[in-house]
Amino acid sequence: VSFSYNKTKILSNINLSIKAGQILALVGDSDSGKITIAKLIARFFDVNDGKILIGGIDIRDLDIDELNQKISFISSNSGLKTDSKIIIINDSDFMSDSEFQEALKKFSPDKTVIIISHKFTSLKQANFIALLNNGQIIKSGTYDELQEYIKKEGGKIDLAQE
């Protein structure tokens, strides 16, 4: 998937596959593309190139009401009970890490959860992590795989440490 807004390239060649019931964390610095990916999944915008599939169906082929029933954006004050199959949650919407961790526990295991992550501690819950930089996925894998990558590169993820 690629996406431009007002002729400015925001995302380039994003390729993600999330299985039902998994937790995906999107992580990266501000303006790396995390929130844009979430908005594209919810079809706030249409992609310029590629397609986003839910259950093998291009989201552009779904009625917007049907898509809205499948996806929910959750914040700390929105209530956590949802019948949606896909939950998008931004960890910065929560007052504390413990409040965020409690929220995650309330989702049933059949829910697919996409975390827009700003905190290093949020990554531990994810089955899969996509590390973004300048609208591209520069590394993806498990928490341990990303830790190893960061050590090998001699750097660190510039996120709030709690």
Side-chain angles (χ1 to χ4, degrees), residues 33-141:
K34 304 178 298 286
I35 292 173
T36 301
I37 290 172
K39 288 181 176 181
L40 289 171
I41 292 169
R43 201 169 173 218
F44 290 0
F45 305 104
D46 282 330
V47 298
N48 300 116
D49 296 307
K51 55 187 164 182
I52 297 172
L53 306 174
I54 295 178
I57 300 169
D58 189 323
I59 63 170
R60 293 172 290 199
D61 294 335
L62 294 173
D63 176 75
I64 198 69
D65 290 332
E66 183 180 358
L67 183 63
N68 288 338
Q69 290 175 1
K70 293 181 184 294
I71 300 172
S72 291
F73 275 84
I74 302 295
S75 66
S76 62
N77 55 6
S78 68
L80 299 173
K81 294 187 180 185
T82 177
D83 292 331
S84 299
K85 294 182 180 199
I86 300 170
I87 308 298
I88 300 173
I89 187 167
N90 190 330
D91 66 8
S92 68
D93 289 341
F94 292 81
M95 295 295 289
S96 68
D97 187 54
S98 61
E99 182 187 27
F100 175 74
Q101 298 302 327
E102 284 301 311
L104 280 181
K105 290 178 188 175
K106 292 182 180 179
F107 300 126
S108 64
D110 66 328
K111 304 288 186 195
T112 302
V113 179
I114 300 168
I115 301 170
I116 300 167
S117 184
H118 300 87
K119 300 174 187 169
F120 194 73
T121 52
S122 301
L123 303 179
K124 292 179 182 179
Q125 302 296 326
N127 302 99
F128 189 77
I129 301 165
L131 177 59
L132 290 110
N133 187 32
N134 293 322
Q136 294 184 316
I137 297 174
I138 58 170
K139 185 69 178 167
S140 60

Side-chain angles (χ1 to χ4, degrees), residues 139-156:
K139 185 69 178 167
S140 60
T142 65
Y143 179 82
D144 289 338
E145 290 168 343
L146 259 65
Q147 285 290 92
E148 189 61 35
Y149 167 77
I150 292 164
K151 284 180 192 174
K152 199 185 290 186
E153 295 298 313
K156 65 176 186 170

